[in-house]
Amino acid sequence: YLDSIGQIFGLATDDSANVYLASSDVYLYPSIQPGGIPTGNIYKARPPLFRAEVFATLPNTGGDFNGIGNIVYDRKHNQLFATNLEDGKIYRISNTGAILSMYDPFVADNGNNGIVVQSEQIWGLGINYESDSTKLYFPRISGATRELWSLKLLNSGAFPAANTHRRELSTLPGDEVRITDIAFSNSGQNMLF
C-alpha cells in the first residue's frame, strides 16, 4: 500500500468491519513517502476486499511528524474524529466522509505550514460513553506538563460551544513527548494511553 496511500499511523474500525487508515509523516521516512499523496488523507477499506479509498481529506501540508495524529470511531453517532497536527484541531467527520465541524481546544494556529508547536499538538483520541453522555478525551503535553482533557459532545454527537473542554488530569505519568492513543475498557471504567 505504501506506493498508493503512503505512510499510515492512525487506525480505527467501525461496526460494519470497515477499517479507517490515517496518513502521517510521523515515521520520518520522507524518502519512501510517495510524491503526490497528501498526509491529510483518511482512507476507508471496506470488506470483503479491503481496498483503501480516500474517505476524507484534512488540510495538511506534510513534513516531519506532520499528518493526522490519530482517529477514533464513535459508534453511538456513527462518525469519526481525527486530530490534525497541522492546525491543532479535532475534526468531526460523517460516515460518508464529509467534514461536519472542527474544534480547536487551545490557541489558534498561526497559519504557518507544517506541524504546530508541541503545546498545540493533539495526537491520541479516546471516546467513552458515560451514563447518558459521550465524552471525547485527548492529551496535551507542553514541556514537562502532561494533561488529559475531555469534551462532552452534544446529544446529536456534535461539538459543544467553543471553550467548553475541561482538564480531567493535570499530572499524567511518563516522560514521552507525545501520547498517541487513548482507549477504554469495555466497562468504560479504565483508560489506557
Side-chain angles (χ1 to χ4, degrees):
Y1 271 146
L2 182 63
D3 59 347
S4 57
I5 66 174
Q7 300 175 61
I8 296 297
F9 182 74
L11 296 170
T13 58
D14 66 19
D15 290 341
S16 300
N18 296 302
V19 179
Y20 300 88
L21 309 108
S23 295
S24 178
D25 269 349
V26 300
Y27 302 109
L28 282 178
Y29 293 131
S31 60
I32 63 169
Q33 177 74 7
I37 298 177
T39 54
N41 279 352
I42 298 173
Y43 300 91
K44 183 175 184 177
R46 297 173 175 87
L49 299 178
F50 294 99
R51 290 192 178 121
E53 300 171 346
V54 175
F55 174 70
T57 301
L58 307 186
N60 193 286
T61 59
D64 292 352
F65 286 116
N66 202 357
I68 297 170
N70 217 325
I71 53 179
V72 67
Y73 174 70
D74 172 9
R75 70 178 185 275
K76 184 175 179 182
H77 303 101
N78 192 22
Q79 61 186 354
L80 198 72
F81 291 95
T83 58
N84 189 354
L85 299 172
E86 175 86 14
D87 57 19
K89 295 178 183 176
I90 303 170
Y91 286 71
R92 177 176 167 245
I93 304 165
S94 76
N95 63 353
T96 62
I99 295 174
L100 300 172
S101 54
M102 297 162 282
Y103 189 90
D104 194 349
F106 306 120
V107 179
D109 179 33
N110 61 14
N112 292 339
N113 288 345
I115 191 169
V116 294
V117 298
Q118 183 190 32
S119 61
E120 300 302 309
Q121 295 173 20
I122 302 173
W123 287 79
L125 286 171
I127 200 150
N128 200 25
Y129 306 102
E130 302 171 12
S131 299
D132 60 347
S133 65
T134 303
K135 289 175 79 173
L136 188 63
Y137 288 84
F138 51 94
R140 184 184 200 194
I141 298 176
S142 180
T145 304
R146 301 165 57 79
E147 304 169 329
L148 182 73
W149 292 75
S150 74
L151 185 61
K152 184 178 177 183
L153 302 178
L154 301 180
N155 289 338
S156 65
F159 288 126
N163 299 315
T164 53
H165 54 290
R166 58 177 275 189
R167 184 176 22 238
E168 297 282 351
L169 296 170
S170 58
T171 54
L172 291 176
D175 57 9
E176 288 293 322
V177 295
R178 43 193 84 76
I179 296 172
T180 58
D181 205 358
I182 298 172
F184 289 88
S185 63
N186 286 339
S187 69
Q189 299 299 308
N190 297 304
M191 177 190 298
L192 305 158
F193 59 89

